[in-house]
Amino acid sequence: MTAPDTATRPRPHPLDAGVDVERAEAAIVEHYPRLVRLAYLVLPPSLGRNRRVLTAHALAQRALPRGREASGAQGLVPFQRGGQDGDPGADAGYAYVRLRVLRAALEAGLPLTFRALPRRAQLPPALPQVWGLRLFPRSGGAEELALDQWLATLDGPARAACVLRALERLDGPEVLLVLTEAGVVDPQAALAGAGGPENDALFASPEFDPCVLQARPTDLLRRRRWVRGSLAAGAALLVGGALLALPGGGWGSDGAAAPAYARNAAAEQALDPARVTRAPAGQWRTADRVDFSAWPARGDRQGDKELLRRALAVWARPGASVVVSATPDTPAGPPMGPPQLLFAGTVDQAVVVLMHDGLRVVRYAEPLSGTSGAALDFARTDGAAAETATALVLSRVDGNVRYLTAPWVTGVTVRDLLKPADAPTPLRLGTDGITAPVAGPAPAGACTAWNALALETAAGPRLVTDLGELTPARLTSGAPGAARDVTQAAELSEWSRIACLLPAVRSHGVRTVNSWAYARQPLPEGNGTAAWLCTRAETWRGTADRVQAQFLAPGAQVAAQAAKAEGSPACGSREPQVLAGVLWKSQGGHWYVLAAGTAQFTSLSVTGGATGSATGNRLAVKAAEGAQVELSGKLTDGTKAGVLR
């Protein structure tokens, strides 16, 4: 949850020089992208990305003063560092409009109260408006995601301090001066909470640029039906909407849900909280199908019908303020029938509801008070089994993750994959299956640790890790068709060398990740023995599986990626063969082309910048530095096969 922005209060700002309206307008036009980015980063993330984008543009446009001359910013407020012609640092008009944008963005984060009328910045912008589309900046990588999550934990003044330092390149005293002029009560505390400058370069990422946007449609079917209905019987629709709003005539309070677009008996039954199904507490012990459908309902709010009503309504019709996410190729529509309740209760600073409809697990989350900032997450889970239906993510707060474990999980320990020799740390597991919070993998975007959960079950331990989705991914080792849970010291040692490559499959709808040491190769000049690994990430949807071939040199802490492919059957049960190669430098300073394939290869050859061949599934040929070569091999059936790509 985002920290409440309560540390700012508007106050007079006596400044020395005057800035006329024409100069302020020129500054806004010339530096508009920078001003909008500043407002977007300072605005509270709880507004949702679509509203933050529109509000950021509105604040930048409203920075133009009303009179012919406004109090300037040259006397007390420092400019952005630079000094070259055209840089905003040389423009007092820019310093003035920047201060107005910053003050308005901080006001937008103030909580609404009944004692005072809301300020203009706290309300949804009247202009600009976009109808029929949801706008949001382009998605970034794991580092940008981690930075965005960290910014969400700060209050408005601390975010403002980060932005002034990172984007405007102001030093500490200058940041304090700008914050003071913007009305921050305790600028020293804001600067102290802004962290260090190690991630400042990420603030210029396209993920935080509200001027370069992606667009997605709103509910097209709802819009089409509304237009047709209004053209056919506008008056009747108006009367029907009034009847639905009458006590006892509608569905009750739907919280952050959009207006209902149809009255259909089957649809209403699916969204009726009284019809939500629950599995008996001990059903998983005797059920033939042991997956999420065998989970009993848990949580301290599972009897709260109003909460379930809001969750179902938002599931069917998420409003514009709801933050919706879904794993790739996961339908985000309403349930086909009454779903099964898995959990409803208070978790940290939010109320969470987990439901399952046979195809998907859906998580609805709302603040402890009100429904502003509600979130809806979809994850595909069809084809789940006891091995992959072991846990679900309940919440992520401050980089920590809480899980809800399956009823057949009897204990949980935490293992750092980068430290295979360390004993796992016990993790407290409540009677309702909720774990204590555990630090997520690669905290703050740096791969200095990678936590995984070892879940104890009657069938043996299961090792899972969080890849940024509702369902943690199961980690296994072994040849295709014979993969097993990671328990042996050698398997843990291999995973310690490839764990930092897992961000390549984050947020990809991954069900399992298997690592297979398919070959070992003695290196030329007696430089030891290298290992060749193949890592295959299989998805819940059964397509777009990602495969990596990795080369692990003796003594290397992290394996090097030799080849990769998406949608390839390589390293899988259908097509277990794989071939990859690297250009390697010996300790004596000589370069070699090294290649290795699985046992299905009877010979390998290389052409291009180096030429050679070898019998068997391994090859080492001298080459020049930077040589470009082509690898191929023959299989046991005589067919020719190329490298993984």
Side-chain angles (χ1 to χ4, degrees):
M1 304 297 293
T2 306
D5 300 340
T6 57
T8 59
R9 294 291 185 273
R11 64 179 187 81
H13 52 290
L15 301 174
D16 297 342
V19 176
D20 57 38
V21 175
E22 287 77 9
R23 189 172 186 181
E25 181 185 21
I28 293 174
V29 173
E30 181 178 357
H31 306 297
Y32 186 76
R34 179 186 295 274
L35 293 169
V36 176
R37 185 189 289 260
L38 183 147
Y40 180 81
L41 286 166
V42 176
L43 285 169
S46 60
L47 294 178
R49 290 190 295 176
N50 182 75
R51 181 172 167 185
R52 284 172 70 193
V53 166
L54 297 178
T55 303
H57 282 273
L59 297 184
Q61 295 170 17
R62 293 206 298 256
L64 187 68
R66 293 183 179 276
R68 294 296 302 170
E69 181 175 297
S71 296
Q74 188 173 8
L76 293 179
V77 180
F79 306 145
Q80 189 237 16
R81 291 194 178 276
Q84 299 179 358
D85 292 342
D87 189 81
D91 187 356
Y94 172 75
Y96 171 74
V97 296
R98 179 188 65 189
L99 182 62
R100 287 178 61 90
V101 170
L102 182 64
R103 182 182 293 113
L106 290 171
E107 287 182 352
L110 294 174
L112 294 172
T113 64
F114 293 104
R115 298 181 179 179
L117 292 175
R119 299 184 179 92
R120 186 180 182 186
Q122 295 174 279
L123 300 175
L127 290 174
Q129 283 289 343
V130 177
W131 296 93
L133 289 175
R134 294 177 180 172
L135 302 178
F136 49 92
R138 297 186 322 192
S139 298
E143 293 181 337
E144 288 83 356
L145 176 62
L147 176 61
D148 192 40
Q149 293 173 342
W150 177 72
L151 287 174
T153 65
L154 304 180
D155 60 10
R159 286 194 301 271
C162 287
V163 174
L164 291 172
R165 183 192 64 217
L167 286 183
E168 300 299 300
R169 299 198 293 273
L170 303 182
D171 58 24
E174 292 171 333
V175 171
L176 292 176
L177 182 56
V178 175
L179 292 178
T180 301
E181 292 302 323
V184 175
V185 175
D186 191 351
Q188 289 283 359
L191 183 60
E198 55 272 4
N199 293 320
D200 282 1
L202 296 177
F203 283 80
S205 167
E207 180 167 341
F208 306 118
D209 187 356
C211 292
V212 180
L213 300 171
Q214 292 180 331
R216 292 294 184 270
T218 55
D219 193 330
L220 299 178
L221 181 60
R222 183 185 69 192
R223 197 188 330 167
R224 179 181 298 173
R225 289 177 176 174
W226 184 85
V227 171
R228 289 177 178 175
S230 62
L231 293 176
L237 184 62
L238 183 61
V239 174
L243 291 176
L244 286 176
L246 292 176
W251 291 352
S253 175
D254 291 343
Y261 54 81
R263 298 301 303 268
N264 175 274
E268 289 189 10
Q269 290 177 6
L271 304 182
D272 185 353
R275 293 178 178 267
V276 170
T277 64
R278 294 169 171 83
Q283 177 175 298
W284 63 272
R285 301 179 186 275
T286 57
D288 294 331
R289 179 181 173 183
V290 183
D291 57 9
F292 293 109
S293 65
W295 281 32
R298 288 170 285 181
D300 57 2
R301 300 280 293 273
Q302 56 179 297
D304 189 339
K305 289 189 176 181
E306 288 303 314
L307 170 63
L308 299 182
R309 185 190 306 279
R310 291 194 299 274
L312 290 167
V314 173
W315 180 352
R317 314 182 308 278
S321 64
V322 179
V323 180
V324 181
S325 69
T327 55
D329 292 341
T330 301
M336 295 175 290
Q340 177 188 347
L341 179 65
L342 304 181
F343 179 87
T346 302
V347 182
D348 297 321
Q349 299 301 312
V351 180
V352 177
V353 178
L354 286 174
M355 288 179 282
H356 179 242
D357 68 350
L359 174 67
R360 305 160 295 177
V361 167
V362 179
R363 178 179 63 185
Y364 169 77
E366 66 181 26
L368 289 178
S369 59
T371 58
S372 177
L376 189 66
D377 303 304
F378 295 85
R380 189 166 172 173
T381 57
D382 51 322
E387 297 83 6
T388 51
T390 52
L392 292 171
V393 172
L394 271 181
S395 71
R396 290 186 180 89
V397 178
D398 298 333
N400 296 320
V401 186
R402 283 188 189 269
Y403 297 87
L404 178 68
T405 60
W408 51 87
V409 172
T410 58
V412 183
T413 56
V414 181
R415 180 180 288 278
D416 185 352
L417 293 181
L418 303 188
K419 299 177 181 178
D422 290 2
T425 304
L427 185 66
R428 181 173 55 83
L429 182 64
T431 56
D432 53 1
I434 301 178
T435 69
V438 58
C447 194
T448 56
W450 194 285
N451 285 335
L453 295 189
L455 306 174
E456 297 296 331
T457 70
R462 314 289 187 200
L463 192 66
V464 300
T465 191
D466 177 28
L467 292 181
E469 298 171 334
L470 282 180
T471 53
R474 180 191 179 198
L475 305 182
T476 59
S477 291
R484 58 192 177 275
D485 288 286
V486 181
T487 57
Q488 303 299 321
E491 298 165 348
L492 291 168
S493 178
E494 288 176 359
W495 267 105
S496 70
R497 313 295 178 85
I498 62 176
C500 287
L501 301 178
L502 284 174
V505 296
R506 191 192 297 269
S507 301
H508 190 60
V510 172
R511 181 183 62 203
T512 60
V513 184
N514 183 61
S515 174
W516 173 33
Y518 68 87
R520 296 192 180 276
Q521 181 176 24
L523 297 176
E525 303 179 17
N527 284 179
T529 301
W532 290 87
L533 307 173
C534 189
T535 302
R536 181 178 179 85
E538 296 189 342
T539 64
W540 286 97
R541 59 193 183 277
T543 59
D545 299 340
R546 290 184 176 176
V547 184
Q548 293 184 27
Q550 297 139 348
F551 175 76
L552 182 58
Q557 296 299 314
V558 180
Q561 181 177 280
K564 65 178 181 178
E566 182 170 322
S568 170
C571 291
S573 56
R574 291 176 52 199
E575 190 177 298
Q577 66 265 19
V578 65
L579 171 64
V582 295
L583 195 62
W584 172 80
K585 185 179 181 181
S586 70
Q587 296 176 4
H590 303 121
W591 288 90
Y592 291 84
V593 173
L594 303 180
T598 50
Q600 293 85 359
F601 285 86
T602 59
S603 65
L604 303 178
S605 62
V606 58
T607 59
T611 305
S613 61
T615 302
N617 65 336
R618 297 172 297 189
L619 175 144
V621 175
K622 272 194 173 182
E625 180 180 359
Q628 301 292 319
V629 300
E630 287 289 332
L631 286 171
S632 62
K634 284 188 178 181
L635 301 174
T636 53
D637 61 1
T639 59
K640 188 176 181 180
V643 296
L644 176 71
R645 56 166 56 112

